[in-house]
Amino acid sequence: MSHTVRTARNIRSLRTNVRTVRTTVRAAVVLGLGMGLAACSETVDQVDRAVDETYEVTYEVTGSGVDEIQFHGGGGKAMEPKIETVESPTLPWRKTVTLRGIMPPAVMPIAVDGNGADVSCSITHKGKVIKEAKGEGMLAAGGCVAVSPVAG
C-alpha cells in the first residue's frame, strides 16, 4: 500500500475520531445544561412555594399620643407590600392579618406629642413575640419590622 493511501485513510480515521469527540462533548454539555436547568427549576419551585405560603401575625400597639398606625396588611407584593393606615387609633390597638411568603410583618405607630409620647409595639406569630420595640419623646416613630417566619 502506498504512503498516500495510508495517509488518506489516517486522515479519514482522524476526522471520524474528531466527530466522535465533538458529539460526545456536545452530549456532555447538553446533559450538564439540562441538569443545571433542572436544579434551577427546583430552586424556583421552592421559592414559589414559599411565596405562596401564608401565615398570620398579630400586631399590637400600646401607649399614649399615637396619631396613626401604619402596617403591612397583606396586600401588594412580597417586597412591595401595601401599607394600610389607621388614623387616631384607640389604644391599646390590636390587629391580626394574614401575610404571604417572604412579606415582612411590620407595624409602625407614629406619635407627635409636645409633652412626650410613650409608644410600644409588638408582632406575635403563633403565640410567640417575634419583634417588639418602644419609643419615647417628643416625636416617637416606633416601629416593629420582623423577618417573615416563612423565610426564617
Side-chain angles (χ1 to χ4, degrees):
M1 190 179 296
S2 75
H3 178 67
T4 306
V5 172
R6 273 188 263 150
T7 303
R9 283 186 184 160
N10 287 342
I11 290 173
R12 271 187 247 132
S13 175
L14 182 61
R15 285 182 183 157
T16 302
N17 288 340
V18 167
R19 273 187 245 136
T20 303
V21 169
R22 281 184 185 160
T23 302
T24 303
V25 167
R26 286 180 187 144
V29 167
V30 168
L31 178 64
L33 285 172
M35 291 175 70
L37 289 174
C40 282
S41 176
E42 287 177 29
T43 302
V44 168
D45 289 345
Q46 289 173 351
V47 169
D48 283 346
R49 279 193 297 275
V51 169
D52 286 337
E53 186 176 338
T54 60
Y55 64 96
E56 276 191 355
V57 293
T58 299
Y59 302 132
E60 188 168 0
V61 176
T62 60
S64 61
V66 173
D67 295 305
E68 70 179 38
I69 298 171
Q70 297 180 347
F71 62 96
H72 294 170
K77 296 179 182 177
M79 298 312 293
E80 296 174 7
K82 179 182 176 202
I83 297 175
E84 296 183 30
T85 303
V86 176
E87 294 183 11
S88 303
T90 301
L91 300 180
W93 177 86
R94 188 179 180 114
K95 175 116 177 139
T96 299
V97 298
T98 300
L99 302 177
R100 189 172 68 89
I102 58 174
M103 181 180 288
V107 60
M108 293 135 303
I110 301 170
V112 180
D113 187 344
N115 298 321
D118 179 20
V119 180
S120 61
C121 62
S122 66
I123 302 172
T124 304
H125 176 260
K126 292 186 176 180
K128 179 182 173 193
V129 175
I130 58 174
K131 184 68 177 183
E132 59 187 340
K134 183 175 180 131
E136 295 179 355
M138 189 168 175
L139 172 66
C144 293
V145 180
V147 174
S148 164
V150 172

